[in-house]
C-alpha cells in the first residue's frame, strides 16, 4: 500500500466573491498529501520548492506521515506562485499571475526507498515531469492515476498523449474531457478518451458531482449541495487524494472500490472548499470525515419497488 | 389516487443540432399525461385545444386512461404553437415563434366528476389559470405540485407568488430557482423559496440531475449520462408526470416516496429526450421503465465501510 504523490508544492493568492487570501501555501501535491494521509501512510511525496517555502509546513506534513525525501528544496530559488480570481459560479476563474520559478526546470528524482510503489498519483503538472517519474520506477505500479488540465492540452499535447497512454485512471473536468476528445457528449468523450489509454476515466463536474467510466459501466457521484463554496482552489487535488488514499487503504482497485473512492474524494473536496487553502483539511478528524461520507450516503439513497 | 393534470396541449416545431421536426403535438399536459398514465389511471386532464388538434391524438390519450372531459375543444380556433431552436448544450434554447391562440383566453373549468382530486399537477401555464383550478376545487387535494418557468417570473410575478403560496411542491430549474429567490447558492435559494410557501422544492438541473429539498433534508438524483440528447422538449413535463404518477400510485407523500418519485421522473425524462416529441413515450412498456429505473439504481449505488 505504498503511495507516491507527484505534483507542485507552491504559493497561491486567491480572490473569490467572498474574500481575498494572502499568499498562502497550496499546490496539487500539498492538497493531495493532506487528503490522502487521512487514509494511508506513508505518502511518498515528489515535488520541488524554493527557499521561501515555510519549513513549518513541511514539518506538519511529516507529522502526518508524508515522506519528503523526494521533495527538492532549492534554497536560493523561489517556489511556484499562482494567483487567480474566481467568478460567482466558482466554476470559472481568471489567472492573474503565474511565476514558474523552481517548477520551470524541475527534474524529479525518485528516491530508492520509494521504489516499492504500488499506487502512483500524478498530480496536475507538466506531462514531461509526470512521464519522467513513471520511467524511473523499476516495477510497474498496481495503479497509476493522473490528473491534468486544459493548459497542457493547449501547450504540450504530444507529451500529454504519451503519459495518458501509460496511466490506468485519468482525471479531468467536463470541459477538459470535451477538449481532449473533441466530443460534446460526455459519454462519447469518455469512450474516445478510454481509447487513448486509460481503462478508467473520472470526469469532475464541480458542484454537479463526478462521473466514473470503465468499459460500458458508469457511476454518478453527487456533490454535496453547499450553502457557500468559499474557495474552490485545490478541490480537485483534494478529491484525487481522497480517491487514491481510499484505494490504497483498501488494497483493491475494482470498479466497486473506485466508486467508494470517488465518494471519499467528493467528501474530502466538500471540506476543502469551506476555507481558504488547506486550512479546513488541517483541522479534520476521522469522525468529521465519516460524518460527511454518511451525508453523501443519505444524499443519494432511495428505494423503489419495481412493478408489483 | 385521483390525479388532475392542468396544462397546455399544443403544437411544437423544434430544431436541434441533430435535426428538425415538423409541427408536432406537444404541450406540458400532453407530456405529463403520457408519463403519469404509466403509473396511475385515470389521469383527469384539464386543457384547451383548437379545431386543428388531431382527434387521433385525443383518442390515443383516452385509450391510456386519460379523461378528457376537462379539455375544451374550440373548433373554430387554433391550438397554442411554439417553435424553438436548441443550442449544442441542449440546456439553452431560443424561442423562434409563439402563437398563444386558444391559450390566450383560456378559462379552465373543473368538471364535477374531477372533484375527488387527491393529487393536483399544475403544469407550466399562466399562474392565473393555475390558481383558477385550485380555487374551483371544493376540497383541498392531498398534494399540489406546480411547475412554472422564468417567463412568468418576468411577466406575472404577483400572480405567481399567490399560486406558489398554495402549493406543496414547486418544480423549477436551477436558473429559475436563482431568479425566483435572488440567491446564487441553490441551498440558499431553496431555503428562500420554501419560505414563500411550498414545503418541498425540486430543482431540475437537466443533464446534471435534480435536487429535492424539504426543511433541512436534501436528495440528489442523477441524470442518466446519455450519448445523445436528441430533443429535450417536454423532458421537464415528463419528469413531473413520472414524479406525481409515482406518488399517486403509492398513495403516499413522504420524503422517502418523493425521492423514489424523482428517480421515476428522471427515468421517464431520459426516455423523452431520445426522440422528437412524445414519440418515445408512446412506445414504452412497463419492462422498459423498470429496466431504466434499474439503471438509475446501478448509477449511484456504492458501498463504503466507515473507519474500522
Amino acid at each position: 500500500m505504498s503511495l507516491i504523490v507527484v505534483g507542485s508544492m507552491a504559493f497561491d493568492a486567491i480572490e473569490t466573491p467572498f474574500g481575498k487570501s494572502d499568499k498562502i501555501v497550496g499546490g496539487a501535491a500539498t492538497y493531495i498529501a493532506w487528503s490522502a494521509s487521512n487514509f494511508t501512510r506513508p505518502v511518498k511525496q515528489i515535488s520541488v520548492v524554493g527557499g521561501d517555502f515555510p519549513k513549518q509546513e513541511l514539518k506538519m506534513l511529516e507529522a502526518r506521515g508524508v515522506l519528503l525525501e523526494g521533495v527538492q528544496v532549492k534554497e536560493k530559488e523561489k517556489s511556484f506562485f499562482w494567483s487567480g480570481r474566481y467568478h460567482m459560479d466558482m466554476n470559472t476563474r481568471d489567472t492573474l499571475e503565474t511565476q514558474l520559478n523552481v517548477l520551470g526546470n524541475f527534474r524529479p528524482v525518485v528516491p530508492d526507498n520509494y521504489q516499492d510503489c504500488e499506487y502512483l498519483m500524478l498530480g496536475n503538472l507538466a506531462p514531461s515531469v509526470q512521464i519522467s517519474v513513471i520511467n524511473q520506477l523499476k516495477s510497474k505500479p498496481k495503479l497509476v492515476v493522473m490528473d491534468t488540465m486544459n493548459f497542457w492540452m493547449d501547450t504540450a499535447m504530444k507529451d500529454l498523449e504519451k503519459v495518458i497512454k501509460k496511466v490506468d485512471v485519468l482525471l479531468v473536468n467536463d470541459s477538459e474531457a470535451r477538449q481532449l476528445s473533441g466530443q460534446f457528449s460526455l459519454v462519447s468523450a469518455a469512450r474516445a478518451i478510454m481509447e487513448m489509454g486509460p481503462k478508467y476515466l473520472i470526469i469532475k463536474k464541480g458542484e454537479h458531482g463526478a462521473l466514473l467510466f470503465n468499459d460500458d459501466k458508469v457511476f454518478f457521484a453527487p456533490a454535496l449541495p453547499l450553502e457557500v463554496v468559499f474557495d474552490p482552489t485545490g478541490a480537485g487535488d483534494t478529491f484525487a487524494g481522497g480517491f487514491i488514499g481510499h484505494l490504497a487503504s483498501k488494497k483493491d482497485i475494482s470498479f466497486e472500490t473506485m466508486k467508494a473512492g470517488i465518494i471519499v474524494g467528493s467528501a474530502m473536496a466538500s471540506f476543502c472548499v469551506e476555507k481558504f487553502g488547506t486550512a479546513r483539511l488541517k483541522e479534520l478528524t476521522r469522525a468529521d470525515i465519516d460524518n460527511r461520507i454518511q451525508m453523501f450516503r443519505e444524499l443519494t439513497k432511495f428505494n423503489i419497488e419495481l412493478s408489483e
Side-chain angles (χ1 to χ4, degrees), chain A residues 70-123:
Chain A
V71 178
Q72 302 166 30
V73 183
K74 305 206 166 171
E75 288 294 350
K76 291 186 181 154
E77 297 181 45
K78 287 172 76 180
S79 301
F80 176 73
F81 171 74
W82 174 82
S83 80
R85 183 187 293 131
Y86 289 89
H87 300 279
M88 194 60 197
D89 72 356
M90 293 287 190
N91 282 329
T92 52
R93 66 185 187 187
D94 298 328
T95 290
L96 302 176
E97 194 181 347
T98 303
Q99 297 175 9
L100 274 182
N101 299 331
V102 289
L103 220 52
N105 56 357
F106 178 35
R107 299 276 172 277
V109 178
V110 178
D112 281 345
N113 74 349
Y114 280 28
Q115 283 292 350
D116 63 340
C117 170
E118 288 179 279
Y119 297 87
L120 174 59
M121 178 70 230
L122 300 168

Side-chain angles (χ1 to χ4, degrees), chain A residues 252-269:
Chain A
D252 182 63
I253 56 169
S254 66
F255 189 71
E256 285 307 309
T257 302
M258 286 196 191
K259 284 159 62 172
I262 284 182
I263 297 294
V264 171
S266 302
M268 296 308 297

Side-chain angles (χ1 to χ4, degrees), chain A residues 13-269:
Chain A
I14 301 152
E15 290 178 35
T16 78
F18 304 105
K20 200 172 159 171
S21 78
D22 295 328
K23 195 169 153 182
I24 57 174
V25 165
T30 307
Y31 285 101
I32 295 168
W34 275 105
S35 183
S37 57
N38 287 287
F39 310 99
T40 187
R41 298 182 187 187
V43 172
K44 298 179 170 176
Q45 196 87 333
I46 295 180
S47 190
V48 61
V49 298
D52 54 352
F53 198 83
K55 301 289 180 285
Q56 180 58 25
E57 289 284 336
L58 296 175
K59 277 186 193 144
M60 287 163 76
L61 283 168
E62 276 182 324
R64 296 274 296 194
V66 180
L67 299 190
L68 301 178
E69 197 180 333
V71 178
Q72 302 166 30
V73 183
K74 305 206 166 171
E75 288 294 350
K76 291 186 181 154
E77 297 181 45
K78 287 172 76 180
S79 301
F80 176 73
F81 171 74
W82 174 82
S83 80
R85 183 187 293 131
Y86 289 89
H87 300 279
M88 194 60 197
D89 72 356
M90 293 287 190
N91 282 329
T92 52
R93 66 185 187 187
D94 298 328
T95 290
L96 302 176
E97 194 181 347
T98 303
Q99 297 175 9
L100 274 182
N101 299 331
V102 289
L103 220 52
N105 56 357
F106 178 35
R107 299 276 172 277
V109 178
V110 178
D112 281 345
N113 74 349
Y114 280 28
Q115 283 292 350
D116 63 340
C117 170
E118 288 179 279
Y119 297 87
L120 174 59
M121 178 70 230
L122 300 168
N124 173 41
L125 205 61
S128 58
V129 173
Q130 294 176 318
I131 208 158
S132 158
V133 172
I134 294 178
N135 290 341
Q136 288 176 58
L137 294 176
K138 290 171 188 157
S139 59
K140 197 182 167 340
K142 200 161 138 184
L143 193 77
V144 181
V145 179
M146 173 194 187
D147 192 15
T148 190
M149 70 183 293
N150 53 357
F151 179 78
W152 309 114
M153 298 173 196
D154 295 336
T155 61
M157 190 58 185
K158 284 220 163 142
D159 283 354
L160 186 63
E161 282 173 347
K162 278 183 211 159
V163 197
I164 286 179
K165 226 176 250 179
K166 289 172 178 280
V167 307
D168 302 298
V169 184
L170 180 67
L171 278 166
V172 285
N173 70 26
D174 42 0
S175 71
E176 290 159 353
R178 289 180 170 129
Q179 179 174 350
L180 187 58
S181 65
Q183 297 286 331
F184 188 83
S185 145
L186 295 181
V187 176
S188 310
R191 188 173 306 129
I193 291 170
M194 289 189 287
E195 278 169 15
M196 297 168 77
K199 288 184 289 295
Y200 301 87
L201 176 70
I202 297 172
I203 300 181
K204 300 171 287 182
K205 303 197 297 169
E207 63 161 324
H208 302 304
L211 294 166
L212 166 66
F213 294 91
N214 168 235
D215 292 332
D216 290 330
K217 298 193 288 294
V218 57
F219 173 65
F220 188 122
L224 200 67
L226 294 168
E227 182 120 25
V228 174
V229 173
F230 187 80
D231 170 21
T233 309
D237 308 311
T238 303
F239 173 95
F243 174 72
I244 201 152
H246 180 77
L247 296 186
S249 78
K250 294 295 173 191
K251 302 178 189 173
D252 182 63
I253 56 169
S254 66
F255 189 71
E256 285 307 309
T257 302
M258 286 196 191
K259 284 159 62 172
I262 284 182
I263 297 294
V264 171
S266 302
M268 296 308 297

